[in-house]
Amino acid sequence: MVPDPTEWDGFADGPWRTHIEVRDFVQRNYTPYDGDAAFLAGPTDKTLATWQRLEENYLSVERRNRVFAVDAETPADIDAFPAGYIWKGDDVIVGLQTDTPLKRAMMPFGGWRMVETALREAGAKPDERVKEIFTKYRKTHNEAVFDIYTPRIRAARSSHIITGLPDAYGRGRIIGDYRRVALYGVDALIADKKRAKDAVADEGFSEHWARYREEHSEQIKALQKLKHLGEIYGFDISRPARTAQEAVQWTYFGYLASIKSQDGAAMSIGRLSAFLDVYFERDLAAGLITETDAQEMIDALVIKLRIVRFLRTIDYDQIFSGDPYWATWSDAGLGEDGRSMVTKTSFRLLQTLRNLGPAPEPNITVFWDPALPQGYKDFCAAISIETSSLQYEADDRIRDYWGDDAAIACCVSPMRVGKQMQFFGARMNAAKALLYAINGGRDEMSGKKVVEGHEPVQGDAPLDFDDVWHRYEQMLDWVVGTYVEALNIIHYSHDKYAYESIEMALHDSEILRTLGCGIAGLSIVADSLSAIRYATVTPVRDESGLVVDYITEGDFPRYGNDDDRADEIAAVVVHTIMQKIRAQELYRNALPTQSVLTITSNVVYGRATGSFPSGHRAGTPFAPGANPENGADSHGMLASMLSVGKLDYHDALDGISLTNTITPTGLGRDKDEQVTNLVGLLDAGFVPEN
């Protein structure tokens, strides 16, 4: 790395100058902001014109046709397409995934079958030359996975006790440290990777040594393509960014390279606000830009994030209830030194929801702590009430485990930016596993025997809690073992055939890998076990003896009402499953984690699952994430937050999701009262642990 380039003039010294360490740069240079939103600027004429052209010429067409356009001839890559622009005035922050807004590119390294299906569903004819390459000459991730899959994995997959496995698409949950492109320039990153690669050159041969050097070679090639991407748009990103506009542009180029080359289940952008704010503050102090200019740059970046698109099948859209890509932008929180990490750019990011209107992307995620500045908390609450477009995370939990430079991948999965990645794993149907336990491994929907070696509950007597729990634990051994085996196969194959070279090039050479397991149907399990323990539950069988329904008599406590009896059951279920995951052997010695998350796929899981002792009916949607069952939480939002808070975060380090809906009038009579009450509710629900 070239010491002290002129691009760093005005920045505080620190270890970040001699080795790649963005967090150190941020902590030594950012300026906390404890004021209110009065300084913010509205949209510029150029911003409004750009958004209007997108709406009239592209977004409106896409809404009618599902897919605006697709390229069926060019396998996607970092520099596979020429420069593309929204219109001639699109010159603030530039760069599209292809050469036209909303045009989708095919990514066949994940699997040709899904690409071909998606092309046909989009009305495009697959290119026979490309098809021949990826079916005859080039093995794909999907092909490798199904070559290795065992019969029990296939059975679990087809019966939907495990659903959404990333075996036919990009795994995602990898956040490149895109800030490195701006702070250091690509040449310094290439030099660093070359040093790391050759540091093991004299070691004796091992599989780890060989893979380490090969992966670093792929990362170096990807960085060279990234530099070429900058050249395509007329920028020299080999050097560090000189200005705030270059810092935003260089950072976006890093992210753009990732979404050009990978179709991940979650392509999060990371934690940018404090970093970019350092550049804004320097340029504002020097009189090089105005507040209007700074806001225009953030608006332009967010416009680009809103038009990210991937070529996906209709079945994929159904699993995820739409076409999400989770370009999650994490913000705020406290530093490890106790300072607020709220900056003026934290406000600018939220202002995009006013300047451009509400949108699900980027998925703006606020790391909430009651100690955050009051002006920022009030602004968050106001924006939430206006747009319903913010997500909140418990900052102290994340900071304690993952530090103050962590960001969220997808919805709730935290990781240190540039220092760890996740092997994403969809989730297992913990609720369906309970029905399998009662039916001895027969599927309650099809009647098919899926799991051998388990006997069903016999007779027509009411269910006994201890007996059902013992059977459930035994069934979980099979389900968890099968689930983790599938994930090991998937990630072995993905590393081999669809490696995320540019995203990993923007990581340290030695990183922490986590295996992100997940469960669906927690509230159904908790309520059903509570019904068996505290009420009387009699099984109802069909003519073959399969239990297909239940008669539940008497009251029982329900999870989500701050009732320890039901909440403890939920916590024990989460702990038990996590213990079984920890007992498995994991690919690349990954750290096992678990999420309680089904923000989108709860509908699909419910469709494939039968009736329960809790009263949950066959085929109906699950409650999302760690939510109480729909209609079961009778004590209000705070009680449900307190119930979820009893789940041990150590057992769910991949995150716990609670989705709540509040009408603004339920918070107060006027805007000020609504803001005050929402802030109070968030403060009460996110009380830091002692």
Side-chain angles (χ1 to χ4, degrees):
M1 186 181 305
V2 177
D4 295 331
T6 57
E7 289 89 350
W8 295 347
D9 288 350
F11 294 149
D13 290 342
W16 65 269
R17 286 183 178 264
T18 57
H19 62 275
I20 293 171
E21 185 51 72
V22 179
R23 178 193 174 272
D24 181 67
F25 168 80
V26 172
Q27 288 296 317
R28 293 176 185 275
N29 287 282
Y30 85 96
T31 304
Y33 178 68
D34 61 3
D36 60 22
F39 74 94
L40 288 167
T44 64
D45 290 343
K46 181 175 290 187
T47 296
L48 293 174
T50 301
W51 195 239
Q52 181 180 357
R53 282 165 171 77
L54 270 171
E55 171 58 33
E56 292 177 351
N57 300 326
Y58 301 100
L59 293 169
S60 61
V61 177
E62 183 183 62
R63 282 195 294 272
R64 292 194 300 270
N65 301 333
R66 179 177 169 267
V67 173
F68 174 80
V70 61
D71 187 302
E73 299 178 353
T74 311
D77 202 354
I78 294 168
D79 56 354
F81 291 92
Y85 302 88
I86 298 170
W87 67 300
K88 65 180 181 180
D90 176 23
D91 58 1
V92 179
I93 302 300
V94 303
L96 301 176
Q97 283 174 287
T98 58
D99 57 345
T100 302
L102 307 187
K103 181 191 285 186
R104 305 181 190 221
M106 58 179 172
M107 298 187 179
F109 292 96
W112 175 255
R113 185 166 54 92
M114 176 174 275
V115 167
E116 184 170 23
T117 300
L119 286 171
R120 295 190 187 281
E121 289 175 347
K125 182 180 178 181
D127 185 280
E128 291 301 319
R129 177 182 57 88
V130 177
K131 179 177 181 178
E132 182 182 23
I133 292 171
F134 287 95
T135 57
K136 185 175 181 180
Y137 301 109
R138 179 58 162 83
K139 192 168 188 176
T140 65
H141 157 61
N142 178 249
E143 183 183 357
V145 167
F146 279 86
D147 281 349
I148 305 171
Y149 266 173
T150 62
R152 73 172 186 168
I153 294 174
R154 289 175 178 267
R157 192 178 185 277
S158 62
S159 67
H160 306 291
I161 198 164
I162 301 172
T163 299
L165 291 169
D167 51 17
Y169 58 91
R171 57 190 167 194
R173 301 285 182 89
I174 302 174
I175 308 175
D177 191 355
Y178 306 113
R179 304 167 300 182
R180 296 183 181 193
V181 183
L183 184 56
Y184 297 107
V186 177
D187 279 354
L189 301 180
I190 291 173
D192 182 73
K193 289 297 179 182
K194 287 180 177 178
R195 283 193 295 271
K197 175 186 174 182
D198 290 339
V200 299
D202 296 328
E203 293 184 13
F205 179 83
S206 68
E207 184 176 350
H208 171 74
W209 173 91
R211 175 157 55 184
Y212 181 91
R213 283 183 57 81
E214 182 181 24
E215 288 183 348
H216 275 70
S217 292
E218 292 301 310
Q219 292 172 24
I220 292 166
K221 294 173 187 175
L223 288 168
Q224 291 166 340
K225 290 179 180 179
L226 170 59
K227 188 161 69 167
H228 184 225
L229 173 63
E231 293 169 356
I232 289 172
Y233 281 93
F235 294 97
D236 177 14
I237 64 174
S238 66
R239 58 167 177 81
R242 292 191 179 115
T243 65
Q245 186 164 10
E246 285 189 352
V248 177
Q249 182 68 69
W250 273 220
T251 300
Y252 174 60
F253 274 140
Y255 181 71
L256 181 61
S258 295
I259 59 174
K260 278 176 168 285
S261 55
Q262 285 290 332
D263 174 12
M267 300 295 286
S268 300
I269 198 167
R271 194 167 185 167
L272 304 183
S273 293
F275 173 78
L276 295 177
D277 197 75
V278 175
Y279 289 87
F280 284 130
E281 286 294 303
R282 188 177 67 169
D283 283 9
L284 284 164
L288 299 177
I289 61 172
T290 66
E291 179 55 39
T292 298
D293 296 327
Q295 185 65 54
E296 184 180 59
M297 292 178 214
I298 295 299
D299 288 345
L301 175 58
V302 167
I303 285 174
K304 294 301 190 296
L305 299 182
R306 289 190 180 187
I307 60 173
V308 173
R309 296 293 187 270
F310 295 105
L311 179 64
R312 293 170 173 171
T313 64
I314 292 173
D315 282 347
Y316 181 100
D317 291 353
Q318 290 177 344
I319 291 174
F320 294 103
S321 299
D323 187 18
Y325 43 94
W326 289 292
T328 304
W329 183 322
S330 304
D331 207 351
L334 303 180
E336 293 173 13
D337 60 5
R339 291 185 299 160
S340 163
M341 293 194 68
V342 172
T343 64
K344 285 187 175 181
T345 299
S346 303
F347 281 79
R348 294 175 185 124
L349 175 62
L350 301 187
Q351 180 74 352
T352 65
L353 293 166
R354 285 179 170 169
N355 288 354
L356 304 174
E361 302 286 0
N363 178 16
I364 300 174
T365 299
V366 175
F367 288 177
W368 188 275
D369 189 290
L372 291 176
Q374 190 64 45
Y376 180 70
K377 293 197 295 184
D378 290 347
F379 193 52
C380 285
I383 292 295
S384 286
I385 291 167
E386 291 173 21
T387 70
S388 298
S389 297
L390 299 186
Q391 172 178 286
Y392 297 96
E393 303 274 348
D395 179 59
D396 73 304
R397 306 297 199 278
I398 294 169
R399 188 175 64 253
D400 287 350
Y401 279 89
W402 311 111
D404 59 11
D405 198 40
I408 298 296
C410 186
C411 305
V412 296
S413 302
M415 59 193 68
R416 294 177 188 265
V417 179
K419 299 185 179 299
Q420 70 182 82
M421 58 87 73
Q422 182 193 102
F423 293 142
F424 167 59
R427 48 205 62 88
M428 53 169 268
N429 192 332
K432 194 176 184 75
L434 179 63
L435 301 183
Y436 273 35
I438 293 170
N439 278 311
R442 287 181 70 193
D443 189 278
E444 75 286 355
M445 302 293 276
S446 67
K448 186 178 180 180
K449 183 77 169 179
V450 175
V451 186
E452 299 293 340
H454 292 258
E455 292 298 320
V457 171
Q458 301 291 339
D460 297 322
L463 297 175
D464 175 77
F465 178 85
D466 290 336
D467 177 61
V468 170
W469 177 257
H470 175 69
R471 294 173 184 273
Y472 187 47
E473 277 212 88
Q474 289 185 320
M475 186 57 63
L476 286 174
D477 286 335
W478 186 92
V479 176
V480 169
T482 304
Y483 179 33
V484 172
E485 181 181 48
L487 295 182
N488 286 337
I489 291 168
I490 288 167
H491 293 296
Y492 166 84
S493 302
H494 206 293
D495 275 349
K496 193 172 182 179
Y497 296 103
Y499 179 67
E500 301 91 340
S501 55
I502 188 60
E503 290 168 87
M504 298 312 299
L506 299 174
H507 280 70
D508 291 353
S509 290
E510 295 288 355
I511 62 168
L512 172 68
R513 295 175 176 85
T514 63
L515 184 71
C517 303
I519 59 171
L522 175 63
S523 58
I524 300 173
V525 177
D527 285 357
S528 293
L529 289 171
S530 178
I532 294 169
R533 170 174 274 180
Y534 296 105
T536 301
V537 177
T538 305
V540 177
R541 302 177 185 275
D542 66 9
E543 60 277 5
S544 71
L546 182 71
V547 177
V548 293
D549 206 350
Y550 303 86
I551 298 173
T552 300
E553 300 172 289
D555 295 328
F556 57 93
R558 287 183 176 270
Y559 164 75
N561 295 292
D562 195 21
D563 187 319
D564 287 343
R565 295 173 297 169
D567 297 345
E568 181 184 1
I569 292 174
V572 169
V573 170
V574 173
H575 177 73
T576 299
I577 294 174
M578 190 63 233
Q579 289 293 86
K580 294 181 184 300
I581 294 170
R582 290 189 179 110
Q584 308 299 312
E585 184 175 345
L586 305 185
Y587 172 62
R588 295 188 84 162
N589 297 313
L591 173 73
T593 63
Q594 178 179 210
S595 65
V596 187
L597 169 69
T598 50
I599 282 180
T600 53
S601 54
N602 50 305
V603 175
V604 173
Y605 276 106
R607 191 180 301 139
T609 307
S611 296
F612 287 86
S614 64
H616 185 96
R617 305 310 302 163
T620 58
F622 287 6
N627 275 51
E629 269 286 84
N630 297 321
D633 50 335
S634 57
H635 288 63
M637 178 176 167
L638 183 57
S640 68
M641 295 175 77
L642 294 174
S643 288
V644 171
K646 295 172 191 175
L647 303 177
D648 189 342
Y649 184 55
H650 183 66
D651 289 328
L653 289 174
D654 194 38
I656 302 169
S657 168
L658 173 65
T659 305
N660 274 309
T661 301
I662 313 171
T663 58
T665 54
L667 288 168
R669 291 162 295 183
D670 56 39
K671 184 66 173 291
D672 289 343
E673 186 177 8
Q674 292 166 6
V675 167
T676 298
N677 288 337
L678 181 54
V679 169
L681 188 61
L682 290 167
D683 280 348
F686 288 115
V687 175
E689 288 186 331
N690 295 326

